[in-house]
Amino acid sequence: MREKVYKTARWKKIRQAVIDRDKDICYFCHRLILKRRTIHHLQELNEENWNDEEIAYNLDNLVECHSDCHDYHHMRFGYKESVVNTDLTIDYSKRR
């Protein structure tokens, strides 16, 4: 059901607001994003909270990042650990 969030006109507006605010600087690595931009929920969007507007659409819960950094954070595609600690701080020593 959480995929419904990403198909709304409201999401398109909030996504653009995040891009405008973060100015194409990746939240995780602080480098300029030249392609494959992603908007990441700091408090993860899941099947239980996807309809909570404070999680799904709150600017304070959304950041811009590289798609690769996002995959790294979520340990997708062979990544073994996240650079984000449980308290949402970033451990840059885990970057490859």
Side-chain angles (χ1 to χ4, degrees), residues 10-85:
R10 184 172 182 191
W11 174 255
K12 289 178 184 175
K13 281 184 177 179
I14 199 79
R15 183 180 192 281
Q16 188 58 53
V18 172
I19 292 166
D20 293 344
R21 179 197 64 200
D22 293 354
K23 301 187 182 334
D24 289 330
I25 301 298
C26 179
Y27 172 79
F28 297 110
C29 71
H30 301 288
R31 294 185 199 138
L32 183 64
I33 302 167
L34 299 174
K35 59 183 179 178
R36 298 190 61 226
R37 163 193 309 125
T38 297
I39 304 302
H40 171 69
H41 287 86
L42 295 171
Q43 182 177 350
E44 297 298 327
L45 196 62
N46 59 42
E47 295 304 317
E48 289 78 41
N49 67 18
W50 69 271
N51 58 353
D52 182 337
E53 294 189 8
E54 283 302 307
I55 295 171
Y57 301 107
N58 184 341
L59 270 173
D60 293 334
N61 190 43
L62 298 167
V63 294
E64 183 179 13
C65 62
H66 291 103
S67 292
D68 193 48
C69 288
H70 192 241
D71 292 340
Y72 189 31
H73 167 65
H74 288 291
M75 296 179 284
R76 298 179 185 141
F77 309 116
Y79 292 116
K80 303 293 185 210
E81 62 182 342
S82 175
V83 295
V84 180
N85 299 315

